[in-house]
């Protein structure tokens, strides 16, 4: 699964793109079913705009401007509309979503990643929808150096561990990659969906940070402090 | 870039980026054409025949619609001559008659004689339909690049190649 080529570790774009590309490869290897609807719509819009342009170029080249003026006007209008739709789709619907799929357990998962300019940190938002319709949003971030070596090779294991440990529905399928270290828990900011109660939220937070602690009530005070500090 | 070859969707998306840059440029040009009603709404001055108004390399913006009034004597027009593919930028100096049938004569400000020599064999005047637009604005010198490109055609190939490579290599 590791990326086939070395990248420059100083290029944030390369870091993000290589990591983004590794996610579908990893998840699909866990028998996740990837949905390509988003990118397919984008490609369809883009290529139909391009085809209109190509047709316009052809008749302009073949028959000249004057005799094809009406068609050219229509083509220009259509192209403008399709291109705006494409822009809206990329900014309004895709919004940086790099993976949409279904887990082997039937949960829906949607992964959005982003980087801030000149900050080598991978920001991840995972939205999961269980079969009963409960949505849950998990946000976490991690430095790219955790899974890129100094030469710019991507190392698959820590990357997979990051996903398996932080995202429940991935961990369920990929148990061997779950690591419960202090650090993994500390940096996780979990934002439970609106359906989840506060207790559930604290419970999951505690489960992430302190394996073995069972008493939710007794520990909830420290958990809430920690939660505030992180935000 | 190589990883794109293993993933058809990503390869298609990258190709699309390149295609959309080209097609958007072309459609913007065509949009300008449609709005100004001119097959070539932006032209570059190739000769010094309109000096001191325009120099070689000036970029001219054309408008080819007659909303309120007809094209008048004194306007600088760009016209095509049958059988020649290079449009000419000269001033309209005589006009006989009105409407589409008006007989028009042009002359370069810097030329000694009028344009009858430049017209096709046996042609003594041009008509409104020969004109592809009147000059409504210009930017000095920026068009010089295209003069260089047309005088050294290999530069075009080099530039297209570089542009293509840059787009394909980068993902953003």
């Amino acid at each position: 699964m590791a990326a086939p080529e070395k990248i420059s570790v100083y290029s944030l774009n390369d870091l993000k793109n290589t990591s983004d590309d590794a996610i579908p490869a990893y998840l699909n290897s866990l028998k996740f079913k990837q949905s390509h609807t988003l990118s397919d719509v984008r490609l369809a819009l883009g290529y139909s705009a391009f085809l209109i342009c190509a047709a316009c170029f052809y008749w302009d080249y073949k028959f000249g401007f004057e005799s094809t003026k009406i068609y050219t006007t229509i083509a220009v209008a259509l192209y403008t509309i399709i291109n705006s739709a494409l822009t809206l789709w990329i900014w309004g619907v895709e919004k940086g979503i790099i993976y949409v799929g279904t887990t082997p357990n039937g949960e829906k998962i949607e992964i959005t990643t982003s980087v801030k300019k000149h900050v080598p940190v991978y920001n991840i938002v995972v939205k999961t929808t269980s079969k009963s319709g409960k949505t849950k949003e998990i946000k976490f971030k991690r430095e790219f150096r955790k899974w890129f070596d100094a030469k710019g090779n991507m190392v698959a294991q820590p990357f997979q561990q990051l996903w398996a440990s932080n995202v429940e529905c991935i961990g369920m399928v990929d148990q061997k990659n779950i690591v419960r270290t202090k650090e993994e828990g500390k940096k996780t900011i979990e934002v439970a969906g609106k359906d989840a109660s506060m207790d559930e939220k604290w419970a999951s937070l505690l489960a992430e940070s302190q394996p073995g602690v069972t008493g939710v009530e007794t520990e909830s005070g420290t958990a809430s402090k920690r939660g505030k500090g992180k935000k | 870039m190589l990883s794109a070859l293993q993933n058809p969707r990503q390869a298609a998306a990258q190709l699309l980026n390149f295609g959309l840059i080209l097609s958007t440029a072309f459609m913007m040009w065509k949009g300008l054409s449609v709005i100004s009603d001119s097959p070539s709404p932006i032209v570059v001055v190739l000769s010094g025949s309109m000096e001191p108004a325009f120099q070689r390399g000036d970029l001219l913006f054309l408008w080819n619609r007659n909303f309120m009034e007809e094209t008048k004597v004194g306007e600088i027009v760009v016209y095509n001559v049958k059988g020649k593919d290079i449009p000419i930028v000269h001033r309209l100096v005589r006009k006989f008659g009105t409407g589409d049938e008006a007989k028009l004569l042009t002359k370069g400000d810097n030329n000694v004689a009028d344009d009858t020599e430049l017209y096709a064999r046996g042609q003594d005047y041009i008509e409104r339909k020969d004109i592809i637009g009147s000059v409504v604005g210009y930017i000095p010198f920026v068009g010089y690049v295209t003069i260089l490109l047309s005088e050294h055609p290999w530069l075009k190939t080099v530039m297209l190649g570089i542009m293509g490579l840059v787009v394909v290599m980068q993902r953003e």
Side-chain angles (χ1 to χ4, degrees):
Chain A
M1 193 212 84
E5 54 188 321
K6 265 201 286 191
I7 56 146
S8 161
V9 286
Y10 302 103
S11 164
L12 204 48
N13 253 342
D14 281 0
L15 289 171
K16 181 177 188 292
N17 287 335
T18 313
S19 305
D20 285 353
D21 290 348
I23 294 167
Y26 167 53
L27 294 183
N28 293 345
S29 76
L30 296 175
K31 302 278 182 299
F32 277 49
K33 237 182 123 252
Q34 188 174 2
S35 151
H36 291 291
T37 320
L38 285 177
S39 56
D40 283 349
V41 170
R42 173 160 46 86
L43 288 176
L45 283 173
Y47 275 101
S48 49
F50 183 74
L51 283 181
I52 288 170
C53 177
C56 184
F57 182 83
Y58 173 77
W59 70 58
D60 189 70
Y61 181 77
K62 189 97 197 233
F63 306 108
F65 178 74
E66 284 301 321
S67 54
T68 57
K69 212 149 55 181
I70 306 155
Y71 303 106
T72 306
T73 312
I74 297 168
V76 168
L78 263 182
Y79 186 87
T80 314
I81 292 167
I82 295 179
N83 225 354
S84 335
L86 179 66
T87 313
L88 278 178
W89 184 262
I90 291 170
W91 290 107
V93 183
E94 284 195 342
K95 279 186 196 159
I97 294 175
I98 52 136
Y99 187 88
V100 179
T102 318
T103 68
N105 300 327
E107 278 180 289
K108 287 215 171 66
I109 181 166
E110 211 179 273
I111 299 172
T112 311
T113 61
S114 61
V115 286
K116 285 205 186 80
K117 231 179 184 177
H118 310 311
V119 183
V121 172
Y122 201 34
N123 300 298
I124 305 162
V125 180
V126 182
K127 223 172 110 183
T128 50
T129 311
S130 65
K131 266 189 276 188
S132 54
K134 262 191 183 175
T135 62
K136 197 173 163 191
E137 210 179 67
I138 312 163
K139 286 184 191 173
F140 55 103
K141 50 184 171 186
R142 202 69 87 242
E143 291 127 324
F144 282 109
R145 64 187 167 111
K146 293 270 159 67
W147 60 88
F148 280 100
D149 67 12
K151 286 176 187 155
N153 293 307
M154 188 165 174
V155 188
Q157 208 199 6
F159 188 66
Q160 299 180 351
Q161 282 171 350
L162 164 79
W163 290 96
S165 318
N166 285 298
V167 185
E168 209 181 321
C169 59
I170 299 176
M172 255 191 286
V173 188
D174 195 16
Q175 305 270 358
K176 65 171 170 29
N177 270 325
I178 298 181
V179 271
R180 291 256 180 256
T181 60
K182 199 103 190 156
E183 214 199 356
E184 281 294 321
K186 217 162 55 181
K187 280 186 184 154
T188 303
I189 302 166
E190 179 147 331
V191 184
K194 36 187 178 291
D195 314 337
S197 72
M198 282 308 263
D199 280 346
E200 276 174 355
K201 195 174 161 181
W202 297 136
S204 60
L205 236 177
L206 283 168
E208 289 282 351
S209 56
Q210 291 161 316
V213 175
T214 44
V216 175
E217 278 84 16
T218 52
E219 292 291 328
S220 59
T222 50
S224 76
K225 258 183 235 152
R226 189 175 288 138
K228 271 176 202 154
K230 266 172 271 168
K231 279 163 197 165
Chain B
M1 187 201 166
L2 285 173
S3 61
L5 297 176
Q6 293 157 12
N7 184 342
R9 274 192 181 81
Q10 209 177 69
Q14 243 159 299
L15 194 68
L16 182 63
N17 280 348
F18 184 51
L20 281 184
I21 290 171
L22 288 183
S23 65
T24 304
F26 180 72
M27 286 320 250
M28 276 165 76
W29 170 255
K30 279 293 144 201
L32 211 58
S33 280
V34 166
I35 291 169
S36 65
D37 195 25
S38 168
S40 174
I42 298 174
V43 294
V44 172
V45 179
L46 296 177
S47 78
S49 63
M50 277 303 282
E51 282 181 23
F54 301 130
Q55 318 260 316
R56 241 162 88 83
D58 288 2
L59 203 67
L60 306 181
F61 297 93
L62 307 185
W63 185 256
N64 197 28
R65 289 185 188 276
N66 294 112
F67 274 136
M68 295 300 193
E69 48 192 359
E70 287 184 19
T71 312
K72 302 188 298 289
V73 168
E75 274 182 41
I76 300 167
V77 296
V78 177
Y79 64 92
N80 276 317
V81 178
K82 285 175 215 90
K84 293 184 185 171
D85 15 289
I86 300 170
I88 300 168
V89 193
H90 278 172
R91 196 182 294 275
L92 194 60
V93 292
R94 293 278 190 283
K95 182 177 179 184
F96 299 100
T98 51
D100 292 341
E101 271 93 56
K103 298 170 177 170
L104 309 171
L105 181 70
T106 53
K107 176 183 173 297
D109 287 1
N110 201 25
N111 288 357
V112 182
D114 63 40
D115 287 354
T116 31
E117 286 286 308
L118 293 172
Y119 298 157
R121 189 182 291 261
Q123 186 183 10
D124 295 325
Y125 57 88
I126 57 168
E127 290 177 334
R128 179 64 184 85
K129 63 172 166 42
D130 296 321
I131 293 176
I132 62 168
S134 306
V135 178
V136 288
Y138 80 108
I139 305 175
F141 198 68
V142 288
Y144 218 92
V145 184
T146 61
I147 294 182
L148 281 181
L149 286 180
S150 59
E151 280 173 5
H152 308 279
W154 57 271
L155 275 174
K156 275 187 208 168
T157 329
V158 172
M159 243 180 63
L160 264 181
I162 291 173
M163 271 157 54
L165 265 181
V166 166
V167 173
V168 172
M169 301 290 260
Q170 283 181 335
R171 259 180 69 164
E172 293 300 297

